[in-house]
Amino acid sequence: MARWSPCKRRVFIDKLVKLGFDPPEPGGRHFYMRHGSHTMSIPGNTEYSVPQLKFLLREVETILGRKIALKEWQSL
């Protein structure tokens, strides 16, 4: 059975780009990624823990307006 696992920052950004987000832009304390009129802050740590990854994905799901399943996330 597949499980959520920690994700490197670079991999997370690459997956967001595949989901239609613009590349990261610097600004303030964090980098930002845009999807249409929505802006998402990207934390600066080098690896995101499973709870942090799930929190960020909930924000992505809100922006996209749909759920992202574990299989879809792993296939990106």
Side-chain angles (χ1 to χ4, degrees):
M1 180 179 195
R3 296 178 54 163
W4 289 98
S5 60
C7 183
K8 298 282 186 189
R9 182 176 190 265
R10 181 78 253 161
V11 173
F12 181 78
I13 290 172
D14 289 343
K15 289 182 180 202
L16 288 187
V17 169
K18 289 179 185 176
L19 287 171
F21 282 77
D22 294 334
E25 307 168 12
R29 293 183 176 183
H30 299 288
F31 276 74
Y32 296 92
M33 294 183 77
R34 298 180 192 277
H35 186 273
S37 63
H38 299 282
T39 302
M40 181 175 172
S41 176
I42 304 296
N45 20 338
T46 58
E47 184 172 271
Y48 303 138
S49 64
V50 174
Q52 186 177 22
L53 177 62
K54 287 182 176 182
F55 178 80
L56 291 169
L57 284 177
R58 276 196 301 270
E59 187 176 349
V60 170
E61 290 172 347
T62 302
I63 291 170
L64 295 178
R66 65 180 179 90
K67 286 281 192 187
I68 298 174
L70 174 60
K71 285 186 178 184
E72 179 185 1
W73 180 253
Q74 290 176 336
S75 70
L76 289 173

